[in-house]
Amino acid sequence: MDFSITTEQQALFDSMRKLGADVVAPGAAERDREGRWDREMWAKLASAGVAGMPIPEEYGGSGGSILDCCLVNEALAQGGHDGGLGLSLGAHWVIGAVPIWLHGSEELKRTWLPGLCDGTYMGAWASTEPESGSDAASFRTTAVRDGDEFVLNGTKIFITNGPIADVCNVLARTDKGPTAFCVDTRTPGFVVGRELDKMGCRSSPTAEIHLQDCRVPASSILSIEGEALWKVAFECFDWERTVMMAGSIGGMRATITEAITYAKQREQFGKPIAHFQAIAHKIAEMEINYHACRNAVYKAAWLKQEGKEHQLEASIAKAMVGKLSVENALESVQIHGGYGYLKDFPAERAVRDSKLSSIGGGTTEIQKMIISRLLLA
Ligand SMILES: Cc1cc2nc3c(=O)[nH]c(=O)nc-3n(C[C@H](O)[C@H](O)[C@H](O)COP(=O)(O)OP(=O)(O)OC[C@H]3O[C@@H](n4cnc5c(N)ncnc54)[C@H](O)[C@@H]3O)c2cc1C
């Protein structure tokens, strides 16, 4: 069994961790407080090749594998410790650009991918609706054919990058069934609604989207009309369960580092609190959780990359990260004592940011449903 990464991948990881520390970390607390996406930061990341990481070079991307994407998202989170950046970047990559690359026509690829890769465009995905969350197949947005066009009507909610996206992959139901449309967000009838005020990952903008007689060309269909669930959505969710979770484990690493630094420097009863076994064991438990999650996420990503069956491992990884990342963040707050309860340290933000891992892209309950179905089949 080979757990090593190549020298190039290690160099990529190190350079991305440094980029995270230099470019993402400095304004992270402020962006969280203000709930603000930073376009300048995004431009700097894009110029380092981050925005187009999973997309082949012929479309302007960096041609990274799924493992490379995991390493980059993990490294940026480790260095930058901003859950919102991981969320927006993950959505831009795996549910924004990747479906266009894997399922779009050559024309769609040439129209959107170069801009998505150089950071000019931002990508998004809209499947969730007010009445259709975990039951993702029950969405009601309709797409009615009219000549060479489809007319979209419906409401989407929780759309990551909704307020800043230039292109959004929208799930709508035609008379043939669930269909994915690659929609230019400037299209009349594509209306960005209320921006959602979130508990965590606040530097990532989230919105409702209203489709009001939004006319899109039939050529904007991704994959085959009526087959979006199996051919497009479930594949994206695989990427989501690995690449997005890699960002979360980068956050777990940063949380441990911050807890260790504080425990070594904070003194009570005449010595650093790290010298008390109760605190040292908390750090050991956090490290155990981190290793278990990291191994689970990279195993799922590796299986996916090798084209092997990976559904069980991907759901296990997501369920583990959903639970243990929050557990670690709460322990970090505890190690920081009263100061951990303040916004002066990143520990409380880590609690709020990490909570999304058990909800977005399929809740922990749904992961357990998938795991148990596979076992009981
Ligand atoms: C910050 C954020 C960003 C997001 N980004 C996007 C995005 O970019 N695009 C997009 O389309 N969507 C996005 N989502 C939506 C996300 O995928 C859904 O919120 C998620 O799938 C859960 O759906 P729901 O919120 O409607 O909860 P519900 O499905 O209503 O679930 C409520 C509770 O019931 C449980 N539950 C539901 N069904 C079952 C069951 N069968 N068995 C056991 N328990 C069950 C759930 O686990 C949960 O605990 C985002 C959400 C958030 C919070």
Side-chain angles (χ1 to χ4, degrees), residues 179-218:
T179 303
F181 293 88
C182 173
V183 181
D184 183 333
T185 61
R186 292 166 307 178
T187 311
F190 186 100
V191 180
V192 179
R194 182 171 64 106
E195 188 160 340
L196 305 175
D197 191 8
K198 303 192 300 298
M199 164 187 179
C201 294
R202 290 174 49 78
S203 61
S204 166
T206 315
E208 280 181 353
I209 302 287
H210 304 285
L211 299 148
Q212 298 170 344
D213 290 330
C214 179
R215 284 183 169 268
V216 295

CSV table of all heavy atoms in Angstrom, one decimal, residues 179-218:
chain,number,residue,atom,x,y,z
A,179,THR,N,-33.0,17.8,-15.8
A,179,THR,CA,-32.1,18.2,-16.8
A,179,THR,C,-31.2,19.3,-16.2
A,179,THR,O,-31.7,20.2,-15.5
A,179,THR,CB,-32.8,18.7,-18.0
A,179,THR,OG1,-33.7,17.6,-18.5
A,179,THR,CG2,-31.9,19.1,-19.2
A,180,ALA,N,-29.9,19.3,-16.5
A,180,ALA,CA,-29.0,20.4,-16.1
A,180,ALA,C,-28.8,21.4,-17.2
A,180,ALA,O,-28.4,21.0,-18.3
A,180,ALA,CB,-27.7,19.8,-15.6
A,181,PHE,N,-29.0,22.6,-16.9
A,181,PHE,CA,-28.8,23.7,-17.8
A,181,PHE,C,-27.6,24.6,-17.3
A,181,PHE,O,-27.6,25.0,-16.2
A,181,PHE,CB,-30.0,24.6,-18.0
A,181,PHE,CG,-31.2,23.9,-18.6
A,181,PHE,CD1,-32.1,23.2,-17.8
A,181,PHE,CD2,-31.4,23.9,-19.9
A,181,PHE,CE1,-33.1,22.5,-18.3
A,181,PHE,CE2,-32.5,23.2,-20.5
A,181,PHE,CZ,-33.4,22.5,-19.7
A,182,CYS,N,-26.7,24.9,-18.2
A,182,CYS,CA,-25.6,25.8,-17.9
A,182,CYS,C,-26.1,27.2,-18.3
A,182,CYS,O,-26.2,27.6,-19.5
A,182,CYS,CB,-24.4,25.4,-18.8
A,182,CYS,SG,-23.0,26.5,-18.7
A,183,VAL,N,-26.4,28.0,-17.2
A,183,VAL,CA,-27.1,29.3,-17.5
A,183,VAL,C,-26.1,30.5,-17.2
A,183,VAL,O,-25.5,30.6,-16.2
A,183,VAL,CB,-28.3,29.4,-16.5
A,183,VAL,CG1,-29.1,30.7,-16.8
A,183,VAL,CG2,-29.2,28.2,-16.7
A,184,ASP,N,-26.1,31.4,-18.2
A,184,ASP,CA,-25.4,32.7,-18.1
A,184,ASP,C,-26.3,33.5,-17.1
A,184,ASP,O,-27.5,33.7,-17.4
A,184,ASP,CB,-25.4,33.3,-19.5
A,184,ASP,CG,-24.6,34.7,-19.5
A,184,ASP,OD1,-24.6,35.3,-18.4
A,184,ASP,OD2,-24.1,35.0,-20.5
A,185,THR,N,-25.7,34.0,-16.0
A,185,THR,CA,-26.5,34.6,-15.0
A,185,THR,C,-27.0,36.0,-15.4
A,185,THR,O,-27.8,36.6,-14.7
A,185,THR,CB,-25.7,34.7,-13.6
A,185,THR,OG1,-24.5,35.5,-13.9
A,185,THR,CG2,-25.3,33.4,-13.1
A,186,ARG,N,-26.5,36.5,-16.6
A,186,ARG,CA,-27.0,37.8,-17.1
A,186,ARG,C,-28.3,37.6,-17.9
A,186,ARG,O,-28.9,38.6,-18.3
A,186,ARG,CB,-25.9,38.5,-18.0
A,186,ARG,CG,-24.7,38.9,-17.3
A,186,ARG,CD,-23.6,39.3,-18.2
A,186,ARG,NE,-23.4,38.1,-19.2
A,186,ARG,CZ,-22.5,38.1,-20.2
A,186,ARG,NH1,-21.8,39.2,-20.4
A,186,ARG,NH2,-22.4,37.0,-20.9
A,187,THR,N,-28.7,36.4,-18.1
A,187,THR,CA,-29.9,36.1,-18.8
A,187,THR,C,-31.1,36.7,-18.2
A,187,THR,O,-31.3,36.5,-16.9
A,187,THR,CB,-30.1,34.5,-18.9
A,187,THR,OG1,-28.9,33.9,-19.3
A,187,THR,CG2,-31.3,34.2,-19.9
A,188,PRO,N,-31.9,37.5,-18.9
A,188,PRO,CA,-33.2,38.0,-18.3
A,188,PRO,C,-34.0,36.9,-17.7
A,188,PRO,O,-34.1,35.8,-18.2
A,188,PRO,CB,-33.9,38.6,-19.5
A,188,PRO,CG,-32.8,38.9,-20.5
A,188,PRO,CD,-31.8,37.8,-20.3
A,189,GLY,N,-34.5,37.1,-16.5
A,189,GLY,CA,-35.3,36.1,-15.8
A,189,GLY,C,-34.4,35.3,-14.8
A,189,GLY,O,-35.0,34.5,-14.0
A,190,PHE,N,-33.1,35.4,-14.8
A,190,PHE,CA,-32.2,34.8,-13.8
A,190,PHE,C,-32.1,35.9,-12.7
A,190,PHE,O,-31.3,36.9,-12.9
A,190,PHE,CB,-30.9,34.4,-14.4
A,190,PHE,CG,-30.0,33.6,-13.4
A,190,PHE,CD1,-30.0,32.3,-13.4
A,190,PHE,CD2,-29.3,34.3,-12.4
A,190,PHE,CE1,-29.2,31.6,-12.5
A,190,PHE,CE2,-28.5,33.6,-11.5
A,190,PHE,CZ,-28.5,32.2,-11.5
A,191,VAL,N,-32.8,35.8,-11.6
A,191,VAL,CA,-32.9,36.8,-10.6
A,191,VAL,C,-32.2,36.4,-9.3
A,191,VAL,O,-32.7,35.4,-8.7
A,191,VAL,CB,-34.3,37.3,-10.4
A,191,VAL,CG1,-34.4,38.4,-9.3
A,191,VAL,CG2,-35.0,37.7,-11.7
A,192,VAL,N,-31.2,37.1,-8.9
A,192,VAL,CA,-30.6,36.8,-7.6
A,192,VAL,C,-31.4,37.4,-6.5
A,192,VAL,O,-31.6,38.6,-6.5
A,192,VAL,CB,-29.1,37.3,-7.6
A,192,VAL,CG1,-28.5,37.0,-6.2
A,192,VAL,CG2,-28.3,36.7,-8.7
A,193,GLY,N,-31.9,36.6,-5.6
A,193,GLY,CA,-32.8,37.1,-4.6
A,193,GLY,C,-32.0,37.4,-3.3
A,193,GLY,O,-30.8,37.8,-3.4
A,194,ARG,N,-32.6,37.2,-2.2
A,194,ARG,CA,-32.1,37.5,-0.9
A,194,ARG,C,-30.7,36.8,-0.6
A,194,ARG,O,-30.6,35.6,-0.9
A,194,ARG,CB,-33.1,36.9,0.1
A,194,ARG,CG,-32.9,37.1,1.5
A,194,ARG,CD,-34.2,36.6,2.3
A,194,ARG,NE,-34.5,35.2,2.1
A,194,ARG,CZ,-34.3,34.3,3.1
A,194,ARG,NH1,-33.8,34.7,4.3
A,194,ARG,NH2,-34.6,33.0,2.9
A,195,GLU,N,-29.8,37.6,-0.2
A,195,GLU,CA,-28.5,37.0,0.2
A,195,GLU,C,-28.7,36.5,1.6
A,195,GLU,O,-29.2,37.1,2.5
A,195,GLU,CB,-27.4,38.1,0.2
A,195,GLU,CG,-26.0,37.4,0.4
A,195,GLU,CD,-24.8,38.2,-0.1
A,195,GLU,OE1,-25.0,39.1,-0.9
A,195,GLU,OE2,-23.7,37.9,0.4
A,196,LEU,N,-28.2,35.2,1.9
A,196,LEU,CA,-28.6,34.5,3.1
A,196,LEU,C,-27.5,34.8,4.2
A,196,LEU,O,-26.3,34.8,3.9
A,196,LEU,CB,-28.7,33.0,2.9
A,196,LEU,CG,-29.7,32.7,1.8
A,196,LEU,CD1,-29.8,31.2,1.5
A,196,LEU,CD2,-31.1,33.2,2.2
A,197,ASP,N,-27.9,35.2,5.4
A,197,ASP,CA,-27.1,35.5,6.5
A,197,ASP,C,-26.7,34.3,7.3
A,197,ASP,O,-27.6,33.8,8.0
A,197,ASP,CB,-27.8,36.6,7.3
A,197,ASP,CG,-26.9,37.2,8.4
A,197,ASP,OD1,-25.7,37.0,8.3
A,197,ASP,OD2,-27.5,38.0,9.2
A,198,LYS,N,-25.5,33.8,7.1
A,198,LYS,CA,-25.2,32.4,7.6
A,198,LYS,C,-24.5,32.5,9.0
A,198,LYS,O,-23.9,33.5,9.3
A,198,LYS,CB,-24.3,31.7,6.6
A,198,LYS,CG,-24.9,31.5,5.2
A,198,LYS,CD,-24.2,30.6,4.4
A,198,LYS,CE,-22.7,30.9,4.2
A,198,LYS,NZ,-22.5,32.2,3.4
A,199,MET,N,-24.5,31.3,9.6
A,199,MET,CA,-23.8,31.1,10.9
A,199,MET,C,-22.3,31.1,10.7
A,199,MET,O,-21.6,31.7,11.4
A,199,MET,CB,-24.3,29.8,11.4
A,199,MET,CG,-23.5,29.1,12.5
A,199,MET,SD,-24.3,27.5,12.8
A,199,MET,CE,-23.2,26.8,14.0
A,200,GLY,N,-21.9,30.4,9.7
A,200,GLY,CA,-20.4,30.2,9.4
A,200,GLY,C,-20.1,30.3,7.9
A,200,GLY,O,-21.0,30.6,7.1
A,201,CYS,N,-18.9,30.1,7.6
A,201,CYS,CA,-18.4,30.2,6.2
A,201,CYS,C,-19.0,31.5,5.6
A,201,CYS,O,-19.5,31.6,4.5
A,201,CYS,CB,-18.9,29.0,5.4
A,201,CYS,SG,-18.1,27.5,5.9
A,202,ARG,N,-18.9,32.6,6.4
A,202,ARG,CA,-19.6,33.8,6.1
A,202,ARG,C,-18.9,34.6,5.0
A,202,ARG,O,-19.5,35.5,4.4
A,202,ARG,CB,-19.7,34.7,7.3
A,202,ARG,CG,-20.7,34.1,8.3
A,202,ARG,CD,-20.8,34.8,9.6
A,202,ARG,NE,-20.9,36.3,9.5
A,202,ARG,CZ,-22.0,36.9,9.2
A,202,ARG,NH1,-23.2,36.2,9.1
A,202,ARG,NH2,-22.1,38.2,9.0
A,203,SER,N,-17.7,34.3,4.7
A,203,SER,CA,-17.0,35.0,3.6
A,203,SER,C,-17.4,34.4,2.2
A,203,SER,O,-17.0,35.0,1.2
A,203,SER,CB,-15.5,34.9,3.8
A,203,SER,OG,-15.0,33.6,3.7
A,204,SER,N,-18.2,33.4,2.2
A,204,SER,CA,-18.7,32.8,1.0
A,204,SER,C,-20.1,33.3,0.8
A,204,SER,O,-21.0,33.0,1.7
A,204,SER,CB,-18.7,31.3,1.1
A,204,SER,OG,-19.4,30.7,0.1
A,205,PRO,N,-20.5,34.0,-0.3
A,205,PRO,CA,-21.8,34.5,-0.4
A,205,PRO,C,-22.8,33.4,-0.9
A,205,PRO,O,-22.5,32.6,-1.7
A,205,PRO,CB,-21.7,35.6,-1.5
A,205,PRO,CG,-20.4,35.3,-2.2
A,205,PRO,CD,-19.6,34.4,-1.4
A,206,THR,N,-24.0,33.5,-0.3
A,206,THR,CA,-25.0,32.5,-0.6
A,206,THR,C,-26.3,33.2,-0.9
A,206,THR,O,-26.7,34.1,-0.1
A,206,THR,CB,-25.2,31.6,0.7
A,206,THR,OG1,-24.0,31.2,1.2
A,206,THR,CG2,-26.0,30.3,0.4
A,207,ALA,N,-27.1,32.7,-1.8
A,207,ALA,CA,-28.3,33.5,-2.2
A,207,ALA,C,-29.4,32.5,-2.6
A,207,ALA,O,-29.2,31.4,-3.0
A,207,ALA,CB,-28.1,34.5,-3.3
A,208,GLU,N,-30.6,33.1,-2.6
A,208,GLU,CA,-31.8,32.5,-3.3
A,208,GLU,C,-31.7,32.9,-4.8
A,208,GLU,O,-31.2,34.0,-5.1
A,208,GLU,CB,-33.1,33.0,-2.8
A,208,GLU,CG,-33.5,32.4,-1.5
A,208,GLU,CD,-34.8,33.0,-1.0
A,208,GLU,OE1,-35.4,34.0,-1.6
A,208,GLU,OE2,-35.3,32.5,0.0
A,209,ILE,N,-32.1,32.0,-5.7
A,209,ILE,CA,-32.2,32.4,-7.1
A,209,ILE,C,-33.6,32.1,-7.6
A,209,ILE,O,-34.2,31.1,-7.3
A,209,ILE,CB,-31.2,31.4,-7.9
A,209,ILE,CG1,-29.8,31.5,-7.4
A,209,ILE,CG2,-31.4,31.7,-9.4
A,209,ILE,CD1,-29.0,32.8,-7.8
A,210,HIS,N,-34.1,33.1,-8.3
A,210,HIS,CA,-35.5,33.0,-8.8
A,210,HIS,C,-35.4,32.9,-10.3
A,210,HIS,O,-34.7,33.8,-11.0
A,210,HIS,CB,-36.4,34.2,-8.4
A,210,HIS,CG,-36.4,34.4,-7.0
A,210,HIS,ND1,-37.2,33.6,-6.1
A,210,HIS,CD2,-35.8,35.3,-6.1
A,210,HIS,CE1,-37.0,34.0,-4.9
A,210,HIS,NE2,-36.2,35.0,-4.9
A,211,LEU,N,-36.0,31.9,-10.9
A,211,LEU,CA,-36.0,31.7,-12.4
A,211,LEU,C,-37.4,32.1,-12.8
A,211,LEU,O,-38.4,31.5,-12.5
A,211,LEU,CB,-35.7,30.3,-12.7
A,211,LEU,CG,-34.2,29.9,-12.2
A,211,LEU,CD1,-34.1,28.5,-11.9
A,211,LEU,CD2,-33.2,30.3,-13.3
A,212,GLN,N,-37.4,33.3,-13.5
A,212,GLN,CA,-38.7,33.8,-13.9
A,212,GLN,C,-38.8,34.0,-15.4
A,212,GLN,O,-38.3,34.9,-16.0
A,212,GLN,CB,-38.9,35.2,-13.2
A,212,GLN,CG,-38.9,35.1,-11.7
A,212,GLN,CD,-38.8,36.5,-11.0
A,212,GLN,OE1,-38.5,37.5,-11.6
A,212,GLN,NE2,-39.1,36.5,-9.7
A,213,ASP,N,-39.4,33.0,-16.0
A,213,ASP,CA,-39.5,32.9,-17.5
A,213,ASP,C,-38.1,33.1,-18.1
A,213,ASP,O,-37.9,33.9,-19.0
A,213,ASP,CB,-40.4,34.0,-18.1
A,213,ASP,CG,-41.9,33.6,-17.8
A,213,ASP,OD1,-42.2,32.4,-17.7
A,213,ASP,OD2,-42.7,34.5,-17.6
A,214,CYS,N,-37.1,32.4,-17.5
A,214,CYS,CA,-35.7,32.6,-17.9
A,214,CYS,C,-35.5,31.7,-19.2
A,214,CYS,O,-35.5,30.4,-19.1
A,214,CYS,CB,-34.8,32.1,-16.7
A,214,CYS,SG,-33.1,32.2,-17.1
A,215,ARG,N,-35.2,32.3,-20.3
A,215,ARG,CA,-35.1,31.6,-21.6
A,215,ARG,C,-33.6,31.2,-21.8
A,215,ARG,O,-32.7,32.1,-21.9
A,215,ARG,CB,-35.5,32.5,-22.7
A,215,ARG,CG,-37.0,32.6,-22.8
A,215,ARG,CD,-37.5,33.4,-24.0
A,215,ARG,NE,-38.9,33.2,-24.2
A,215,ARG,CZ,-39.5,32.2,-24.9
A,215,ARG,NH1,-38.7,31.4,-25.7
A,215,ARG,NH2,-40.8,32.1,-25.0
A,216,VAL,N,-33.3,29.9,-22.0
A,216,VAL,CA,-32.0,29.5,-22.2
A,216,VAL,C,-31.9,28.6,-23.5
A,216,VAL,O,-32.9,27.9,-23.8
A,216,VAL,CB,-31.4,28.7,-21.0
A,216,VAL,CG1,-31.3,29.6,-19.8
A,216,VAL,CG2,-32.2,27.5,-20.7
A,217,PRO,N,-30.9,28.7,-24.3
A,217,PRO,CA,-30.8,27.9,-25.5
A,217,PRO,C,-30.8,26.4,-25.2
A,217,PRO,O,-30.2,26.0,-24.1
A,217,PRO,CB,-29.6,28.3,-26.2
A,217,PRO,CG,-28.8,29.0,-25.2
A,217,PRO,CD,-29.7,29.5,-24.1
A,218,ALA,N,-31.3,25.5,-26.0
A,218,ALA,CA,-31.3,24.1,-25.8
A,218,ALA,C,-29.9,23.6,-25.8
A,218,ALA,O,-29.5,22.6,-25.2
A,218,ALA,CB,-32.1,23.4,-26.9
